[in-house]
Amino acid sequence: EWMVASGITTGVSPNRFAPFESLNRAQLITFLWRQAGRPVAYPDHGFADVADGSYYDDAVAWAAAEGITNGTGPATFSPAQVVTRGQLITLLWRRAGSPGGALDAGFVDVPEGRFFTGAVWWAKANGGTNGTSATTFSPDGPVSRAQAAALVWREAGGPAP
C-alpha cells in the first residue's frame, strides 16, 4: 500500500501487484528511482543493454551516476535478470551511502569479503532484514516483488501508507 500511495510502483497491471513474482533488476532500480523523486538529467549510464527511452533508462542513469549500481559487467546492467537478495540489500546500502560500523550479522552464508557482506551487516543492525532464518540470509536467493517491497519499506523507516 505504501509503495502504491507513494508512486513507487504501479504494479504489473491495473490493480495487480503480483507479490509472488520474481523482481527483475529493471523493476528494482525503477522502484528506487521513483522513491528518490524520479531525478533526471544524469549522464548516460553506458550500459549497452539498457535501451534509450525504456521505462528504466533514467533510473539506471541516476543509479549509475550516484554509485548505487555498477551493473553486472563493464557495459551491462542485465535489466531482465532476477534480483538476488544480496544485490537488493547492496543497492539499498549504497543508496544510504555505504555506511560502515556494523558488526557481523551472524548469518553463516554471509562470509567476509563478498560484495554484499557490509550491506547485509548494515541491514541486520538497522532492522532492515531478519534473514531467511535465524542463521541464514540466502544472498543468492531470488527476490519476490513482495520481499522487495518489504525491504524497501523497512529501509524507508516503515512509513504509513
Side-chain angles (χ1 to χ4, degrees), residues 125-137:
N126 291 289
T129 186
N130 294 320
T132 54
S133 78
T135 59
T136 59
F137 177 73

Side-chain angles (χ1 to χ4, degrees), residues 4-93:
V4 171
S6 300
I8 297 169
T9 187
T10 57
V12 296
S13 65
N15 301 318
R16 186 167 174 260
F17 180 69
F20 302 110
E21 287 184 18
S22 295
L23 185 77
N24 68 40
R25 291 174 52 84
Q27 293 167 334
L28 173 60
I29 213 67
T30 301
F31 286 173
L32 300 180
W33 173 72
R34 288 175 180 163
Q35 185 184 15
R38 301 173 187 244
V40 293
Y42 282 88
D44 183 64
H45 43 68
F47 298 121
D49 59 352
V50 176
D52 288 342
S54 62
Y55 77 88
Y56 51 89
D57 187 24
D58 286 337
V60 173
W62 162 78
E66 294 293 333
I68 297 167
T69 187
N70 302 321
T72 57
T76 57
F77 177 72
S78 304
Q81 183 181 80
V82 171
V83 176
T84 66
R85 291 175 53 82
Q87 290 170 339
L88 170 58
I89 216 72
T90 299
L91 294 176
L92 293 174
W93 176 67

Side-chain angles (χ1 to χ4, degrees), residues 98-127:
S98 304
L103 301 175
D104 187 334
F107 297 130
V108 297
D109 57 354
V110 179
E112 287 194 47
R114 296 290 307 272
F115 74 89
F116 52 78
T117 303
V120 173
W121 293 358
W122 164 78
K124 175 70 173 174
N126 291 289

